Amino acid sequence: MGLAMENAKGNSFAQLLTDGGTLKNKKKYQALAVQFVDPEWKRNHVICFAFPNSKSNTDTAVAELVSKKLREKYGLTADICAAAMSDRAAKAKGISSQFELEEEVCCACTTQIR
């Protein structure tokens, strides 16, 4: 990720990925990841940097988790991200607006399994 940051020259270079769920025992979890293409355009990297338990899966709570975990793990802020992608259930629009990012919604994730 260091070379990608260097080549970005202070610009955002990654996409934030989030997805949350509640287990049968009512415990909530969030999968937090960043996605970026390496500077030599040879690989697309997806790095899951945290899978924390969360008290709430609201937009604000997820944004706080992202900020906290990026800082703890890499010493980074969400400024490295230019967009955010999430399934519709995770309210990508709300999470994106917390960081003032472009919104992407994974249409494949919108199907409900019954």
Side-chain angles (χ1 to χ4, degrees):
M1 191 162 26
L3 186 56
M5 287 178 66
E6 182 181 322
N7 286 354
K9 298 182 185 339
N11 296 305
S12 302
F13 65 91
Q15 176 171 264
L16 174 66
L17 307 171
T18 64
D19 195 11
T22 304
L23 303 181
K24 190 174 183 179
N25 64 5
K26 306 297 182 203
K27 288 190 178 180
K28 298 176 185 329
Y29 288 87
Q30 283 291 326
L32 309 174
V34 290
Q35 178 181 16
F36 62 96
V37 177
D38 75 10
E40 297 177 356
W41 296 94
K42 293 183 180 177
R43 290 188 178 93
N44 179 37
H45 299 282
V46 178
I47 300 171
C48 181
F49 61 89
F51 190 68
N53 179 266
S54 59
K55 293 179 183 174
S56 170
N57 287 342
T58 65
D59 305 340
T60 304
V62 173
E64 288 172 5
L65 269 178
V66 167
S67 294
K68 178 181 177 185
K69 295 300 180 181
L70 268 177
R71 189 175 50 254
E72 286 176 358
K73 184 84 172 175
Y74 299 109
L76 298 172
T77 65
D79 291 348
I80 66 166
C81 301
M85 179 178 276
S86 181
D87 65 15
R88 288 192 191 277
K91 301 178 186 176
K93 185 176 232 167
I95 294 167
S96 298
S97 67
Q98 294 291 318
F99 294 114
E100 298 179 4
L101 301 175
E102 292 180 25
E103 170 198 5
E104 297 292 332
V105 177
C106 177
C107 295
C109 301
T110 60
T111 305
Q112 299 229 350
I113 299 172
R114 299 188 193 265

